[in-house]
Every structure is written in C-alpha cells, then in structure tokens.
Amino acid sequence: MKTRVLGKTGFEVSEIGLGCWQLGNDFGPVEDQEANAILQTALDEGIHFFDTADVYGGGLSEERIGRWRKTLTKQPIIATKVGRNAELYPDGYSKASVKKSLQASARRLGVEAIDLAQLHCVPRDVLFSGDILAWMEDLKKEGIIKHFGASVEMLDEATFCCGHPELASLQILFNVFRQDAVQSLLPLAEKNDVGIIVRLPLASGLLTGKMTVDHVFNEQDHRSYNKDGAAFHVGETFNGLPFGKGVELVEALKEKLPAGQNILDVSLRWILDQPQVSSIIAGASRSSQVIRNAAASSLSPLSEELHALLSEFYRQEVRSHIRGGI
C-alpha cells in the first residue's frame, strides 16, 4: 500500500482509505464481528486512514472504531465529521455546540484530540459566513482537534474553504463520472497545501460495473431512500445520476474500455492518477471488498489514451445528466 501526504496535516496516509458509513448500519445491519473484521482486514491490507462521522448510526460507527482502536498497539489515523447531527443541523450552529459535538466524538473514538475533524456538508449560508471555519481554528488551538478540513457538496464550496489558511483537507465527490475538479479545484488545493480526500469513488457502487436496473437495495440504504434526493443532497447517491441512466452509462463505458480493463480498477486508478489526491475513502460492507479496493494501490497508471477517452466520455455522455449541480 502506497502512502501520500494529507495536506497541512503532514500525515502519511494510505492512498486507499476506508469509509466507515456502513459501520453505522446505515446500509443495512452489520454485526459487531463483521464490523471488526472489516476494520482489521483494512489494517492488514495496509490501510491506515479511516473516515467516519458522528451521525453514522448515531455514533455507532465511531463507537465501533473506538473499541477496535483499544486492541491496537499502533494507531491508524482517524478522521471524523461534525455538523449534521440534530443539535446542529440545520440552524443550531454555534462554537459551543460544535465543540460539544466534537468532544462527544472524541469520547466515542477514545482519543484525547481528534486527528482530523471535517465540517460535514454544513448549509451553504453557514459555511459562507466564515464563522464556522474560525471556530474550527479556535478548537484546534484549544487542543480539541489536531487538524480540520471540510467535506462539501459543491465545487464553489470547496474553493471557498480552500482559501482558509489553516484548512488541511477537503473531502469531495470525485470520480470518472464527476471530473470537473481536475481543472477547477485540484491546482488550487495543491497551491494551498490542502489534501484531497475522495468520497464516492465508485458513484455509490455504479462503477463496480455489477449493478443492473432491477437491483433492489435494503430499505435502510440511502441508495433506496435518497436516489432522487428525498433525504439529503441528490449528488450523494449515484453521483446525482438517475439510477437507470447511471447503469446505462456504465454499460456504455465498459464497451469502450480496452480489452482486459476492468471498470472498477480503471475508476480507482483514474483517481489515483491525480497527484493532488491524498486518499480515496472507499466503503466496504465485506472484508473481500476491502481487499479488492486496496489492490488499486498496486495498479499501474492509466495510459494517456485511456485518460483522454474517459475525459471525453464524461464531457459528452455523463456531465449533462448530473442533478444537484457540480
């Protein structure tokens, strides 16, 4: 497993990380034994960057990571998020309430100070006011957190955050079906020493190439209840694409790939070919998926011809179908 530096944190993180939303049972039930197996398999595969949030299972994901951490002699880097729990969202934001939420996360994780605390897709007016970024800077000085970043929905939000001198990282939607950041954000992030953490690298599973239009998701899974943005931002599910159109586009892209190229491998490698990316936080509900994702770190870079093909396909076939803005 190769490593990269995560922006101003100076942390050497595995370029494939583990997204831990599923450990909150938010995609369907995951037993404690399986949750521990997923975490341990990730560590065994060289993954030592884990991303969670206080709202994943109402703190369950953090609690599970915290209990697992106690069994380890060498600690991985844990990033969590703040800003979407019921005490804060949508209009309860204050420095005191943010601090309280972060302290609760630290207790669940079993740490004195959180490695990386990320604003969790807070409302645009709250973000653009600038106050909440100043609060995070203060909480860093207080020792509640070691570093802070932001997880955002839109590229203009990412650009705004990138201008804060203390911001260490940005977590963004970025994959072969959402490429605009290559030109508009990544050079700025590099200039400002902001690490890029990629979420939804496989567009909620579309880019595994295994989904069919008649696939049925667990009712607890956001791919069931948020496929059209009924619960939260539409872009967080299937990349903002209507599910049927997403499956159609994947099948069309598979037909264009060179012989022997797997769409999952191509999708992960395409992200890793962007030097500004620090880590891809790929979710996994089974240990076998963790192993599969981790293998992307050892793949060779894609050819210039394949990069050109993927860029053209995105511009001509995909971009116009993304809902919710970019």
Side-chain angles (χ1 to χ4, degrees):
M1 175 65 65
K2 298 181 180 68
T3 62
R4 303 185 181 194
V5 177
L6 181 59
K8 296 181 186 72
T9 69
F11 294 149
E12 289 276 349
V13 297
S14 52
E15 60 183 17
I16 303 295
L18 181 69
C20 297
W21 190 357
Q22 74 285 2
L23 301 188
N25 291 349
D26 293 313
F27 292 77
V30 177
E31 298 299 327
D32 284 345
Q33 183 176 1
E34 182 60 29
N36 287 334
I38 290 169
L39 291 167
Q40 190 58 49
T41 298
L43 199 63
D44 293 344
E45 291 296 311
I47 292 172
H48 55 265
F49 181 58
F50 297 79
D51 177 87
T52 185
D54 58 356
V55 291
Y56 294 168
L60 177 60
S61 177
E62 289 180 329
E63 290 172 359
R64 283 174 156 171
I65 293 170
R67 290 195 296 268
W68 171 69
R69 280 187 66 258
K70 293 178 181 179
T71 69
L72 305 177
T73 54
K74 184 178 181 181
Q75 294 298 319
I77 296 163
I78 310 293
T80 192
K81 307 186 197 74
V82 61
R84 296 289 292 196
N85 68 41
E87 293 184 9
L88 297 174
Y89 185 83
D91 55 8
Y93 297 93
S94 68
K95 183 178 175 181
S97 61
V98 170
K99 180 177 180 178
K100 179 182 176 183
S101 291
L102 287 169
Q103 288 174 322
S105 287
R107 286 193 296 271
R108 287 189 291 268
L109 291 169
V111 298
E112 292 185 7
I114 294 169
D115 291 332
L116 175 66
Q118 305 159 98
L119 297 178
H120 195 178
C121 300
V122 299
R124 288 173 64 85
D125 59 334
V126 173
L127 180 66
F128 284 119
S129 75
D131 291 345
I132 197 166
L133 287 166
W135 301 339
M136 297 296 279
E137 186 175 1
D138 289 344
L139 294 172
K140 178 184 174 184
K141 292 176 181 176
E142 291 181 31
I144 306 297
I145 59 179
K146 297 178 182 178
H147 302 279
F148 68 91
S151 178
V152 297
E153 304 281 9
M154 313 293 288
L155 284 175
D156 65 336
E157 296 170 342
T159 300
F160 173 78
C161 292
C162 210
H164 191 286
E166 292 290 318
L167 190 91
S169 67
L170 280 168
Q171 187 177 135
I172 62 170
L173 297 164
F174 185 58
N175 54 59
V176 296
F177 278 3
R178 188 179 286 254
Q179 299 186 21
D180 288 57
V182 171
Q183 300 296 330
S184 63
L185 178 65
L186 298 192
L188 179 63
E190 183 175 31
K191 177 183 177 182
N192 292 356
D193 195 20
V194 173
I196 296 294
I197 302 167
V198 173
R199 73 178 184 276
L200 296 182
L202 299 175
S204 302
L206 279 176
L207 291 167
T208 64
K210 297 179 179 179
M211 289 186 175
T212 60
V213 291
D214 57 354
H215 189 95
V216 177
F217 298 96
N218 187 292
E219 63 181 12
Q220 294 174 256
D221 192 324
H222 72 102
R223 293 174 293 184
S224 173
Y225 63 79
N226 194 61
K227 61 182 180 180
D228 295 315
F232 44 83
H233 192 269
V234 68
E236 291 287 347
T237 305
F238 303 124
N239 208 59
L241 296 168
F243 178 59
K245 172 54 77 171
V247 172
E248 176 187 323
L249 289 168
V250 168
E251 292 304 310
L253 180 56
K254 285 163 66 175
E255 291 294 322
K256 291 180 176 292
L257 294 179
Q261 292 280 10
N262 177 280
I263 192 167
L264 187 155
D265 289 337
V266 167
S267 297
L268 294 178
R269 188 63 244 180
W270 179 86
I271 298 171
L272 292 177
D273 282 354
Q274 317 304 322
Q276 300 92 341
V277 169
S278 297
S279 188
I280 299 171
I281 48 170
S285 57
R286 296 186 301 276
S287 294
S288 59
Q289 293 173 337
V290 176
I291 295 169
R292 184 71 175 82
N293 293 337
S297 181
S298 62
L299 295 173
S300 299
L302 305 182
S303 67
E304 291 184 8
E305 292 78 11
L306 185 48
H307 271 284
L309 183 155
L310 294 170
S311 177
E312 181 70 9
F313 187 84
Y314 171 69
R315 290 196 307 269
Q316 296 297 325
E317 305 294 337
V318 180
R319 193 177 188 277
S320 64
H321 298 289
I322 297 174
R323 300 169 295 176
I326 293 173

